[in-house]
Amino acid sequence: MLEVEVKYRNADRTAAVATLLEWGATLAQDRTDLDLYFQAPDRDLKASDEAFRLRRIGPKNCLTYKGPRRDTETKTRPEIEVPLGDGDTAAADMQRLLVALGYAPVTTVKKKRRVYQFARDGFDLEACFDTVDGVGAFVELEILADEAQYDAAKTVLLAAAAELGLTEQEPRSYLSMVLQAQGSPLA
């Protein structure tokens, strides 16, 4: 599955939400995400443009691998998400397992996220209004699509962003921005 995504900073959130509601979007979630990133023992994830994390959303846990980006206009990349057991114990066990396998903890990205869901031109989209600790506020649009749907998904995503008045695209990942803000040599 491909994650086709664009992220914007300095958006007029009030206007964007009003437009989403006009389109029939529904507020799906208000949540806090904790993304614990790890460096693989067999490759430099920064150099390969990959990401590996343990995501915690309340009691829910999952592992996510994001492959290298495939274009600069969107942040499209292969994504594999594997659900894990719920709760603190399952998360702590997975962290211990990853470290035992040679994965090194990198940092944690914490964000408050308000997720709206809507359909457009045959695709299910999410509009995420994020406030990321230490780096600021963003609006992220996302479609999950099969490889064969990539071109159409990208077109729909960019058109929706334009109609929402989103103009200041942010190409960096939240991980990259947090590492930069921390002054990390991994940034």
Side-chain angles (χ1 to χ4, degrees):
M1 188 64 63
L2 292 176
E3 174 189 56
V4 185
E5 173 188 294
V6 286
K7 182 184 308 153
Y8 297 86
R9 59 171 59 248
N10 298 327
D12 182 341
R13 289 178 169 217
T14 303
V17 168
T19 301
L20 286 169
L21 295 175
E22 288 173 12
W23 292 350
T26 58
L27 176 59
Q29 293 180 327
D30 257 327
R31 66 188 206 212
T32 299
D33 295 6
L34 290 176
D35 293 337
L36 295 80
Y37 284 89
F38 291 85
Q39 172 62 50
D42 63 338
R43 67 190 119 183
D44 179 346
L45 294 180
K46 180 182 175 190
S48 67
D49 193 33
E50 297 168 286
F52 183 65
R53 70 178 179 220
L54 169 61
R55 171 167 276 179
R56 306 214 51 214
I57 304 171
K60 301 283 183 201
N61 300 304
C62 68
L63 285 178
T64 307
Y65 165 78
K66 293 185 176 219
R69 293 181 204 177
R70 60 184 340 181
D71 82 45
T72 57
E73 197 173 12
T74 64
K75 290 173 38 183
T76 298
R77 57 199 324 177
E79 179 180 84
I80 302 169
E81 259 187 1
V82 179
L84 301 172
D86 292 348
D88 294 338
T89 301
D93 287 346
M94 181 51 64
Q95 288 177 63
R96 282 196 320 279
L97 174 63
L98 291 171
V99 170
L101 292 172
Y103 287 79
V106 174
T107 196
T108 299
V109 174
K110 181 179 180 181
K111 65 182 170 263
K112 291 183 181 175
R113 174 167 267 193
R114 176 167 268 202
V115 181
Y116 290 86
Q117 295 176 331
F118 61 106
R120 213 160 149 88
D121 298 324
F123 289 98
D124 293 325
L125 286 84
E126 286 190 345
C128 303
F129 293 79
D130 296 334
T131 302
V132 182
D133 282 8
V135 295
F138 304 88
V139 178
E140 190 175 273
L141 300 179
E142 176 181 305
I143 296 175
L144 295 178
D146 293 326
E147 183 70 42
Q149 300 173 303
Y150 166 65
D151 289 327
K154 179 179 173 179
T155 299
V156 168
L157 191 72
L158 293 171
E163 289 178 47
L164 288 168
L166 304 175
T167 58
E168 193 177 334
Q169 194 166 6
E170 174 55 67
R172 297 172 297 166
S173 68
Y174 291 142
L175 172 60
S176 175
M177 288 186 274
V178 167
L179 289 172
Q180 220 169 22
Q182 294 171 342
S184 171
L186 299 173

